[in-house]
Structures are given as structure tokens and as C-alpha cells.
Amino acid sequence: MSLTPEQIDQFTAFAHQLARVAGEAAMPHFRVPLDVVDKGKAGYDPVTVADQGAERAMRELIATRYPGHGVLGEEEASVTGSEPYTWVLDPIDGTRAFITGLPLWGTLIALNDGARPRIGVMNQPFTGERYLGTPNGAWLNGVPIATRPCADLAQARVMATSLEIFTTPALRAGFEAIAGEAQLLRMGGDCYAYCLLAQGLVDVVIEASLMPYDVQALIPIVEAAGGRMTTWDGGDAQHGGAILACGDPALHARLLERLRPYVDGQP
């Protein structure tokens, strides 16, 4: 299903409203003493009232404005809608950064039309940065952004959130094969890394162990800016898993070939 121009405008405006209410809920808790609960799903998995409050604020707005839409979020149970549209929410992507006072976190908001995410927002209320991707383009605070040409891994800037996300020997080896030949490797960033890629400041983001709400808002931003974002085997990134994003499509194709042996766990 493709969105009409009117629907793109309507849903984009609503995504901005969701970003605003999430920011209002989260910001009073940033860089102040804060209780942190460990969900313990996989290692240390922190959650705070900021995560919970931001998602609750967005869900309430969706239920009021679009009661027939579904919701998939990190902190509460999924809601199946009577219409094909689903809002995919990560209220604070980068909770570890949030609780340590680092501004490398953001609220992720995607509209999935039943086939794939079509509109994506990454909002960072502390820095005042809002990235947007739609079928019409990608922007940072209303200014168009684009990836940069970089077809050679030896000249590429690579990012990943942490080594912990590469949970098997094959995943770790695949990451190291790419990172070891890059010009520059930076760890940390969560959703921010993908937006910097869309902005032309980073060339590769390689990660694993991701959930749908970690990636769906980022796909429209990266792709509308000219990049590619798939699983390591070239599949649809919207379901999460092991993800490769590249600003240059030629580099993306080359790295998929490099990662192929690690997909089957046989480096």
C-alpha cells in the first residue's frame, strides 16, 4: 500500500506531534537523579519512568486521533488495529546513554502501512534535532540531508552501539571483519548513528540483536537520504536482527558479500 500525498502530509504532521509529547514526557528526567529498573531480558536491560512515560503519552495520542491504528512499542503490549497502519515506537532508544547523561539517545516513531515503514522520525529533544524520512525525502530540522559517496571500506567511517550486541561468535567475527578494515570505528550512538549516516557523516552502521522498534523509524530516514539498510543477508530490515546500513549503495553491496559467510554461522 502506498500513501497518497495527503496521507504523507497528515501522518507526518501527526508524527511530529508524537515527538513533541514524548519529548515533554522524557526531558524532565534527563540529567537528574533517576531510578533505573533492570528488565533483565538479555543482560543489563534498563528502563526508567522516562521510557514508560514517553511511550504512554504517544499511545494515548494515537488512541485519541487514530483509534483504528495499531501500535508496536518497546514498553507496553502490542495493539492490533482495525486498519492496516501501525505506529512503531521506541520512546528512548539509547536508555543507557540517557541514564548516563549522554545526549546520544532519541525517540523513534515510524508509521508502517502494513507492508513496510513509510514515515520515520528520530527526535532528540535535548539537542533540538529532529530527523525525518518520508517517501518525499529526508531532513534534519527541515533542511534536506543526504548520504555521502564512499564505495571503499578503507575510507569508511563505521559505527556500532556496543560489542555486546554481537551475541554469537559468527556475529562478532562478521563485525570484526568489517570494522578491522575501516578507516575509523566509533562505538555508541544507538539510533543516532543511523541519522549521522543519513546526514553524510558516517558511512556504515553494522549491528545485531535489534528489535523492530529499534529500526523501523530509521529505515525511511536512511533510504530517503540515499542509503541502504538491510539485514546481513540482504533481507528486509524492518523485523530487526543483524542489520547493515550504508550511505553508499555500492559499498552496501560489497559488504553484504563480505558478510555472507557469517550469516550461516560459518566464518
Side-chain angles (χ1 to χ4, degrees), residues 20-193:
R20 176 181 56 79
V21 299
E24 291 172 351
M27 278 303 297
H29 304 287
F30 186 53
R31 292 187 174 176
V32 299
L34 185 65
D35 290 333
V36 180
V37 175
D38 182 6
K39 291 186 288 188
K41 291 187 295 187
Y44 182 55
D45 189 13
V47 65
T48 73
V49 293
D51 302 75
Q52 295 164 338
E55 183 165 323
R56 175 90 317 255
M58 290 190 286
R59 284 176 177 264
E60 289 176 353
L61 192 57
I62 293 167
T64 299
R65 179 69 180 276
Y66 296 112
H69 289 195
V71 180
L72 172 63
E74 181 173 11
E75 305 304 337
E76 297 186 22
S78 299
V79 174
T80 300
S82 58
E83 299 180 46
Y85 304 107
T86 298
W87 294 93
V88 184
L89 312 173
D90 192 343
I92 298 180
D93 185 80
T95 301
R96 291 169 178 81
F98 188 94
I99 64 178
T100 52
L102 297 171
L104 298 177
W105 56 274
T107 296
L108 297 180
I109 301 161
L111 177 69
N112 192 305
D113 66 357
R116 66 191 320 272
R118 303 293 182 181
I119 295 171
V121 168
M122 192 289 269
N123 187 54
Q124 217 307 335
F126 182 75
T127 61
E129 294 172 301
R130 187 173 297 173
Y131 292 84
L132 168 68
T134 80
N136 297 328
W139 299 268
L140 167 58
N141 292 348
V143 177
I145 56 175
T147 61
R148 71 170 192 161
C150 180
D152 184 357
L153 180 58
Q155 302 300 316
R157 303 165 186 170
V158 174
M159 288 192 72
T161 294
S162 72
L163 290 177
E164 296 172 356
I165 63 178
F166 303 103
T167 56
T168 69
L171 290 171
R172 181 70 173 266
F175 163 73
E176 291 176 345
I178 301 304
E181 295 187 18
Q183 179 188 73
L184 173 67
L185 171 66
R186 295 294 295 174
M187 304 300 288
D190 293 280
C191 58
Y192 225 102

Side-chain angles (χ1 to χ4, degrees), residues 8-9 12 15 48 53 55 63 76 104 106 115 139 150 165 178 180 189 200 207 230-231 236 241 251 255:
I8 293 172
D9 292 343
T12 297
T48 73
E55 183 165 323
E76 297 186 22
L104 298 177
W139 299 268
C150 180
I165 63 178
I178 301 304
E207 299 197 296
T230 68
T231 57
D236 191 344
L251 180 59
L255 295 190

